[in-house]
Amino acid sequence: MDFITVCNIGIHIMVFLFGICIGSFLNVCIFRLPTGESLTKQNSHCMTCGTPIKWYDLIPVFSWLILRGKCRACGAKISGRYILVESLTGILFVLTFLRFDVITDGLYYPALLCLFIAGLIVIGFEDYDTQEMTVGVLMYLLLLAFVTRVLTSVLPTRFIRGCDVSLEDGIIGLFAVSVPLLIFGFVLTPLICNFIDEDRKAVRKIRKRLKTEKLPVSEEQKLKKALETHTTAVKEKGVTFGFGMGDIILMSAGGLMLGWKAAVVAAFIAIISGAVYAAVLKARADSDKPVRAFAFGPFLTAGLILSSFFGTQLMNLYIDFLTVPAVPTM
Ligand SMILES: [Zn+2]
């Protein structure tokens, strides 16, 4: 083994250890941000017995493995989520660094990408747990993408090397997926729902009858009561239709950071995997447990993370495939 190889292996081990430590902090963010708890003030404690956790039981990944996922004081099960987020962060950080030749390209661009992936992990799990995204994390992603684009345009050769996303790709990426999502989620879906949703149809029908027909008082009261039930049903469903504003901001940030090609690939991955998941939910649902709305954020973040590795290349292959070869001239 030559010196360079040893250096490279060393760097990647460091990156993994650093990644699992960041992952440990991401766990705190995922659990505390939705409840508004402070990220720094409170010390870690067992969720069951409340015993403060000693520093040697807080080592990412390793402590969980040594304790076999159980509290040292009371033996209660510790969520596998901890080790999942920690190891996922470590592995994704290493995979990101593996894409670059750190010794010639430097650490800056892969480090920026890792910071972005960290934010995506928080958003994905947060949305999965609560169906909501913290505004602060979305703003962090947007700001980080903006800073990265500025740095890669101003310092292309001195500090930020190995970046294959141009300024134009980033600016197009800001809108490439977010604008279609906006149109689909806030214009088309409500319009379509208006025509196919049973409750909405019922509301229109009852309103029309109340307005145009002369009804006996008892009948009118019955209709008014039905109107109220249907209106509440519409209101409850209203939020679950289409995409949230969070999804749109997320895809803007993703497009600015990774370029429009990767953002489009991410959207495809998300829509296809989301549709498969919905089909599985529907197949398993019965009359007792009807299909409930699920968060789309985890699919979008997974799509963005995957396409940060090969999205641009995949899109370029597709564009080449579509391009008709030039006719040879005589
Ligand atoms: Zn305990």
Side-chain angles (χ1 to χ4, degrees), residues 30-310:
I30 294 164
F31 281 113
R32 291 191 187 172
L33 281 178
T35 60
E37 267 183 88
S38 161
L39 292 180
T40 49
K41 268 184 191 153
Q42 217 181 350
N43 286 326
S44 298
H45 51 83
C46 170
M47 297 279 193
T48 312
C49 66
T51 311
I53 301 169
K54 298 260 160 48
W55 65 268
Y56 49 78
D57 284 342
L58 278 171
I59 299 159
V61 178
F62 299 103
S63 287
W64 196 94
L65 289 175
I66 290 165
L67 295 169
R68 299 217 194 101
K70 282 178 190 147
C71 169
R72 193 187 283 275
C74 71
K77 211 167 163 280
I78 304 169
S79 168
R81 170 70 70 80
Y82 289 98
I83 189 171
L84 173 70
V85 171
E86 285 160 2
S87 48
L88 184 70
T89 312
I91 291 165
L92 288 174
F93 277 23
V94 171
L95 288 177
T96 301
F97 271 82
L98 278 174
R99 279 178 54 208
F100 301 91
D101 186 347
V102 179
I103 289 165
T104 54
D105 290 343
L107 296 166
Y108 292 100
Y109 187 59
L112 287 166
L113 275 178
C114 284
L115 288 175
F116 195 77
I117 287 175
L120 291 179
I121 292 172
V122 174
I123 285 285
F125 280 101
E126 212 179 52
D127 198 29
Y128 177 81
D129 289 344
T130 63
Q131 299 214 358
E132 264 170 58
M133 301 174 182
T134 310
V135 178
V137 185
L138 289 170
M139 290 304 122
Y140 159 84
L141 288 173
L142 260 182
L143 191 72
L144 186 66
F146 177 75
V147 168
T148 306
R149 276 291 74 73
V150 170
L151 285 178
T152 47
S153 334
V154 178
L155 313 161
T157 49
R158 282 192 60 199
F159 291 107
I160 310 289
R161 280 178 294 218
C163 170
D164 54 358
V165 181
S166 70
L167 183 63
E168 298 85 72
D169 282 350
I171 293 169
I172 299 170
L174 200 57
F175 308 104
V177 175
S178 57
V179 171
L181 275 190
L182 193 73
I183 295 170
F184 188 80
F186 287 87
V187 183
L188 286 181
T189 315
L191 259 179
I192 294 166
C193 286
N194 216 12
F195 286 104
I196 59 163
D197 186 60
E198 290 301 326
D199 286 309
R200 280 165 208 258
K201 271 198 239 170
V203 167
R204 276 203 302 277
K205 218 169 165 185
I206 296 169
R207 280 209 182 121
K208 201 175 163 193
R209 279 192 72 188
L210 285 173
K211 228 179 184 178
T212 53
E213 288 173 41
K214 192 98 187 90
L215 297 160
V217 180
S218 63
E219 178 75 10
E220 200 180 297
Q221 261 171 353
K222 225 166 108 189
L223 277 181
K224 273 185 180 163
K225 204 161 185 192
L227 180 66
E228 211 174 301
T229 332
H230 288 300
T231 316
T232 338
V234 168
K235 268 187 198 154
E236 274 173 8
K237 269 189 274 184
V239 271
T240 64
F241 280 130
F243 305 97
M245 209 52 211
D247 299 316
I248 290 158
I249 298 170
L250 175 67
M251 290 317 282
S252 272
L256 183 61
M257 182 78 187
L258 307 170
W260 69 269
K261 291 170 183 169
V264 169
V265 171
F268 269 101
I269 295 173
I271 289 166
I272 292 166
S273 54
V276 171
Y277 182 73
V280 171
L281 279 189
K282 199 157 190 185
R284 286 165 119 201
D286 44 45
S287 51
D288 299 336
K289 275 206 303 186
V291 186
R292 296 234 312 277
F294 60 89
F296 196 49
F299 297 96
L300 289 173
T301 45
L304 282 173
I305 290 173
L306 281 174
S307 69
S308 80
F309 294 113
F310 57 79

